[in-house]
Amino acid sequence: MPIRVLAILSVAALAVGQWFIWVYAPLEETMGVVQKIFYIHMPLAWWALISFFVVFAASVRHLIKRDAASDILAGAAAELGVLMSGLALISGSIWGRAAWNVWWTWDPRLTTTLIMWFVYAGYLVLRGSGMGGERRAMVSAVLGVVAFLDVPLVFYSARIWRSVHPAVIASREGGMAPEMWHTVLANLVAFGFLWLTLLLARYALGRAEERARAYMLSR
């Protein structure tokens, strides 16, 4: 599917997602309108974790195949993961200020997420360093595999340790009305379209940069 078509679908899906948030979903009794941040915060966090899984899978493939495409895909997914996990931390802090009366607390979920963000930000710094092409790709692939160890820890941290962060998927109902679950799913799909659009666009740009670099070296 062309990136332009995906972009149009993303805009439409995001618009529908906003309708679900502000019109369809009921107002939460305790937190009121602030609770609606959840419908943006959760998709950002989930697609950030999926981004880091793509980094892991592409890094493993690069270590086996040694192909530039896997390296480029890993870099594109890492950029998206750092962006979305950073936005998830920011939106979560806004929500936390209303729920816990603090902008930040060293909760296991928040702490492991912050560590994950720093690790993958460091991964991007490494990719942007002046290290040689293939050597940089190999070192980045190794780091892309090792860094993924923190991702399952982020996901299960609210269950392993005592955490004030809600584990929404832990219970059968998640403490939410059906309309709220519909809104969550609608926005997960909407952000999924956006994620795929940005990933493919960044990957295509990376491939173009690789071709341009190869052309310049061949002259």
Side-chain angles (χ1 to χ4, degrees), residues 27-94:
L27 202 64
E28 205 272 333
E29 293 181 0
T30 304
M31 295 188 64
V33 72
V34 178
Q35 182 270 343
K36 292 180 181 289
I37 296 174
F38 169 76
Y39 302 121
I40 297 174
H41 171 75
M42 185 178 177
L44 284 170
W46 272 67
W47 285 105
L49 296 181
I50 292 173
S51 297
F52 296 141
F53 175 76
V54 173
V55 175
F56 169 77
S59 297
V60 170
R61 189 176 191 278
H62 181 78
L63 290 173
I64 297 172
K65 300 287 187 179
R66 307 292 177 90
D67 63 327
S70 298
D71 177 58
I72 293 168
L73 179 61
E79 290 178 5
L80 273 179
V82 169
L83 172 64
M84 289 189 162
S85 58
L87 291 175
L89 284 168
I90 292 171
S91 59
S93 69
I94 297 172

Side-chain angles (χ1 to χ4, degrees), residues 103-115:
W103 291 102
W104 182 265
T105 179
W106 293 103
D107 174 80
R109 172 65 60 81
L110 275 65
T111 304
T112 52
T113 302
L114 183 63
I115 292 171

Side-chain angles (χ1 to χ4, degrees), residues 14 25 32 38 60 82 97-98 109 119 122 127 131 139 161 194:
L14 288 169
F38 169 76
V60 170
V82 169
R97 181 67 176 85
R109 172 65 60 81
V119 168
R127 292 187 63 89
M131 192 183 301
V139 175
W161 297 290
L194 177 64

